[in-house]
Amino acid sequence: MAEKRHVRCLIIGSGPAGYTAAIYASRANLNPVLYEGIQPGGQLTTTTEIENFPGYPQGISGVELMEDLRKQAERFGTEIHSGIAVSVDFSGKPLQVTFDDNQTIEADTVIIATGASAKYLGLPDEAKYAGMGVSACATCDGFFYRKKVVAVVGGGDTACEEAGYLSQLASKVYLIVRKNYLRASKIMQERVTRTANIEILFETQVVGLFGENGVEGAHIVQHQGTPEESYSDLPIDGLFLAIGHKPNTDIFKPYLSLDETGYIQTEGITTATNIAGVFAAGDVADPHYRQAITAAASGCKAAIDAERYLAENRF
Ligand code: NDP
């Protein structure tokens, strides 16, 4: 039997949205309990320098920013636990969430800030070579590829950022882009194109990997579906995926309205979901902006929405 306790405000997730919700909820005396979730500190802990979070003219590392947000939440009394939500019951009140530490929390309000996780191509070889040359986080694993040859898949800001980071470690970085253009912002595109050891392979897709005791190369197809279509092998030591993210909403599916790609739908300008007392903040509900600052802002909104909901409803 899982242990049970009751709280006024439960926050799931510890990215900018979760911690900002915690800062606001604790300052409003909601005594929030926050569970850190799958990736303590969230996705920002795997990025390098953050240059566009207002207030840091010199930039700040993702890890440092998240440590500061955590300290700020703790300063006002947020109770922080490590643990992952494994099941929920939103069929009645109080709302119930069970964590992998066998604790069930009964809550008057729940703020979901579980973020999103990196997507993979879906090739069987990605699983075969997991931890042996396949990664979705350059800052976590780039260190292992010093003076080696790597490839990054994707054409967005993340892919360009990862390629730029890896170019400082690896001898050569291929950026594998399925279209004939980069989707990334102009500034990121310029950085990539003026880095000597990054080579962009447009209209190229990875269809498999090969290697004895780890990745030694990728099977690629270029100009697929055109008269120039060609298959070849690209020798690389590591493959980094940077093709976007999937919202972490699987356990909420039976109760919450999600869009076709799994993002939680919220009502109008608020963070309210279709279940009274349940609010969603950050990337888990945002397929559009997905920035640290917008996640933090929606965390603030969720705490204010939770506070107003508690004031309007007697528990
Ligand atoms: P995006 O969705 O912007 O880009 C994903 C990229 O991966 C696209 O080029 C897409 O190709 C490609 N892709 C998707 N699926 C596949 C597949 N199966 N095979 C091959 N390629 C594939 O995601 P990002 O993670 O790059 O960025 C998300 C958001 O975060 C954006 O809003 C971005 O601006 C922001 N961001 C900002 C940063 C900054 O400002 N410093 C840093 C990182 C992210 P296609 O174009 O063909 O669809």
Side-chain angles (χ1 to χ4, degrees), residues 249-270:
T249 53
D250 287 350
I251 60 165
F252 307 112
K253 245 182 224 164
Y255 301 98
L256 297 186
S257 298
L258 309 178
D259 74 8
E260 66 283 355
T261 44
Y263 287 89
I264 298 175
Q265 293 186 309
T266 50
E267 286 171 16
I269 58 163
T270 75

Side-chain angles (χ1 to χ4, degrees), residues 65-230:
L65 177 61
M66 296 321 299
E67 275 170 8
D68 283 352
L69 286 176
R70 182 191 170 106
K71 279 187 208 146
Q72 203 172 345
E74 282 178 322
R75 180 180 155 205
F76 298 109
T78 302
E79 188 185 312
I80 299 176
H81 296 270
S82 60
I84 297 167
V86 289
S87 67
V88 303
D89 183 350
F90 291 162
S91 59
K93 299 284 184 286
L95 304 155
Q96 292 196 37
V97 183
T98 301
F99 292 88
D100 61 352
D101 61 359
N102 209 32
Q103 174 84 56
T104 294
I105 305 274
E106 293 187 340
D108 298 327
T109 59
V110 175
I111 296 175
I112 300 170
T114 48
S117 300
K119 274 196 213 161
Y120 286 79
L121 294 168
L123 303 171
D125 284 345
E126 286 171 319
K128 182 175 168 190
Y129 292 102
M132 295 164 64
V134 174
S135 169
C137 175
T139 42
C140 315
D141 301 325
F143 183 76
F144 302 114
Y145 298 92
R146 277 171 301 164
K147 300 196 167 46
K148 296 193 171 177
V149 179
V150 296
V152 176
V153 182
D157 280 326
T158 303
C160 291
E161 195 175 70
E162 303 269 88
Y165 177 77
L166 289 166
S167 71
Q168 295 166 39
L169 297 163
S171 58
K172 168 105 190 174
V173 180
Y174 292 102
L175 184 57
I176 300 182
V177 185
R178 67 178 173 184
K179 294 218 173 103
N180 62 359
Y181 62 87
L182 290 171
R183 178 202 285 237
S185 55
K186 282 279 167 286
I187 186 168
M188 300 299 268
Q189 291 192 27
E190 278 164 20
R191 277 185 202 171
V192 163
T193 45
R194 64 165 193 251
T195 303
N197 63 339
I198 299 179
E199 184 181 342
I200 307 178
L201 304 177
F202 285 110
E203 291 184 73
T204 304
Q205 291 185 64
V206 174
V207 288
L209 295 164
F210 60 89
E212 286 288 317
N213 297 308
V215 170
E216 289 171 18
H219 302 300
I220 57 170
V221 53
Q222 299 193 278
H223 312 292
Q224 195 171 31
T226 73
E228 292 86 51
E229 179 174 294
S230 67

